[in-house]
């Protein structure tokens, strides 16, 4: 599955759900794919995942047919080619706050003429050189790769028009906990001030033809949350594997009486 097929499904009105995997576990990624999740969010930003483990998690995603999307360690565009060469279907860039940053990210994500990414035909993503041709491979990457910018600071919300004006930023993802802190209401992701910023981000992104991914913050209300998000124009959400496990653990342990 490619991320472009995800975007096509979202454009057709589907709601898509991904699962975040912060621990180093190809098995969990493979499980997520067989479970039916639409994409897997491999979190090297906040997870204890080294490069070798990350590559194996990408392999596991490919085996189980789920799109592997990797969140970078930090907002550093020079990291993008390495993870794309690894085989990531897309990358998430944290703390994307300005148009200048967005342009630098877009340049590193795609090959010329769409960007300035250096070519590595020995990369895993190029099947170690066994692709039919370099040009065909580069054209496919330029077409299929998806770059997601995280909106998680007040500065980013203020700069949305300029960020959305940059070609090559395909989707925005809202980091509500960091956004709440930046807006002066730390820990209160559901505060009206935060939700107003969320709605403004969604409004501007959808008007610019971009999709938005919003995390599911309360798993016990996930169904209502997905419906609510869809009504607000959001077709992508992601839930942490820990959020999935915690309620199940609580129910099982409660059976002890």
């Amino acid at each position: 599955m490619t991320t472009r097929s995800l975007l096509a499904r979202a454009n057709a009105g589907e709601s898509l759900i991904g699962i975040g995997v912060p621990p180093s576990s190809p098995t969990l990624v493979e499980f997520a794919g067989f479970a039916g999740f639409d994409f897997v969010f491999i979190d090297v930003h906040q997870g204890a995942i080294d490069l070798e483990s990350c590559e194996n998690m990408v392999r596991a995603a490919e085996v189980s047919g789920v799109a592997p999307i990797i969140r970078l360690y930090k907002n550093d565009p020079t990291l993008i080619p390495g993870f794309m060469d690894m085989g990531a279907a897309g990358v998430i860039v944290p703390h994307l706050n300005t148009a200048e940053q967005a342009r630098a990210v877009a340049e590193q994500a795609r090959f010329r003429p769409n960007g300035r990414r250096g070519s590595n035909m020995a990369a895993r993503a190029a099947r170690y050189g066994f692709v039919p041709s370099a040009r065909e491979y580069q054209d496919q990457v330029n077409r299929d790769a998806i770059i997601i910018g995280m909106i998680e600071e007040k500065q980013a919300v203020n700069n949305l028009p300029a960020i959305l004006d940059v070609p090559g930023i395909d989707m925005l993802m809202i980091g509500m906990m960091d956004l709440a802190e930046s807006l002066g209401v730390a820990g209160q992701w559901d505060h009206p001030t935060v939700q107003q910023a969320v709605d403004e981000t969604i409004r501007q992104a959808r008007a610019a033809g971009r999709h938005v991914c919003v995390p599911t913050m309360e798993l016990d209300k996930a169904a209502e949350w997905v419906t609510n998000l869809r009504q607000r124009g959001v077709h992508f959400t992601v839930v942490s594997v820990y959020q999935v496990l915690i309620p199940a653990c609580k129910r099982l342990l409660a059976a002890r009486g």
Side-chain angles (χ1 to χ4, degrees):
M1 177 180 292
T2 69
T3 46
R4 288 293 163 183
S5 68
L6 296 182
L7 290 175
R9 289 168 59 192
N11 288 335
E14 287 189 49
S15 293
L16 297 110
I17 301 177
I19 189 164
V21 182
S24 176
S25 177
T27 300
L28 276 178
V29 171
E30 192 174 43
F31 180 89
F34 290 134
F37 284 94
D38 299 298
F39 61 97
V40 62
F41 171 16
I42 300 173
D43 193 5
V44 301
H45 178 64
Q46 293 182 331
I49 302 173
D50 60 28
L51 291 176
E52 183 177 2
S53 295
C54 186
E55 184 172 298
N56 286 329
M57 292 168 79
V58 170
R59 287 192 177 96
E62 293 173 356
V63 167
S64 57
V66 62
I69 300 176
I70 299 172
R71 177 159 68 164
L72 304 181
Y73 298 108
K74 57 183 177 178
N75 184 339
D76 181 352
T78 64
L79 296 174
I80 295 174
F83 285 105
M84 298 299 289
D85 283 348
M86 189 182 290
V91 296
I92 300 171
V93 181
H95 299 284
L96 191 71
N97 292 329
T98 68
E100 290 75 19
Q101 291 176 347
R103 278 190 287 271
V105 164
E107 282 188 348
Q108 290 292 331
R110 292 178 172 87
F111 301 107
R112 290 177 173 82
N114 304 74
R116 298 178 61 190
R117 175 179 162 188
S119 180
N120 177 10
M121 293 309 298
R124 179 178 179 275
R127 299 295 183 260
Y128 310 107
F130 285 107
V131 292
S133 74
R135 187 68 265 169
E136 182 178 326
Y137 162 68
Q138 292 174 353
D139 287 345
Q140 181 181 357
V141 169
N142 286 348
R143 181 179 66 251
D144 291 345
I146 185 169
I147 305 303
I148 304 169
M150 287 205 71
I151 304 301
E152 45 192 337
E153 295 185 38
K154 182 179 180 180
Q155 182 186 12
V157 177
N158 292 339
N159 288 331
L160 276 173
I163 292 171
L164 289 166
D165 197 44
V166 176
I169 304 299
D170 304 293
M171 187 189 301
L172 301 180
M173 182 174 181
I174 300 176
M176 286 199 285
M177 294 302 287
D178 281 356
L179 183 57
E181 184 173 337
S182 178
L183 292 172
V185 287
Q188 302 176 64
W189 65 267
D190 54 352
H191 191 281
T193 301
V194 178
Q195 291 306 306
Q196 182 179 0
V198 170
D199 283 334
E200 184 60 21
T201 301
I202 295 169
R203 183 190 68 78
Q204 291 194 41
R206 298 302 290 137
R210 316 289 176 82
H211 280 287
V212 181
C213 180
V214 180
T216 298
M217 304 302 290
E218 295 182 1
L219 189 63
D220 59 342
K221 298 179 181 178
E224 296 92 333
W225 185 245
V226 169
T227 299
N228 174 273
L229 288 173
R230 189 167 180 175
Q231 292 170 346
R232 294 159 75 180
V234 175
H235 294 272
F236 288 86
T237 190
V238 62
V239 60
S240 167
V241 66
Y242 297 134
Q243 284 181 290
V244 174
L245 289 172
I246 288 171
C249 290
K250 287 182 176 179
R251 286 195 300 270
L252 179 61
L253 295 174
R256 294 182 303 189

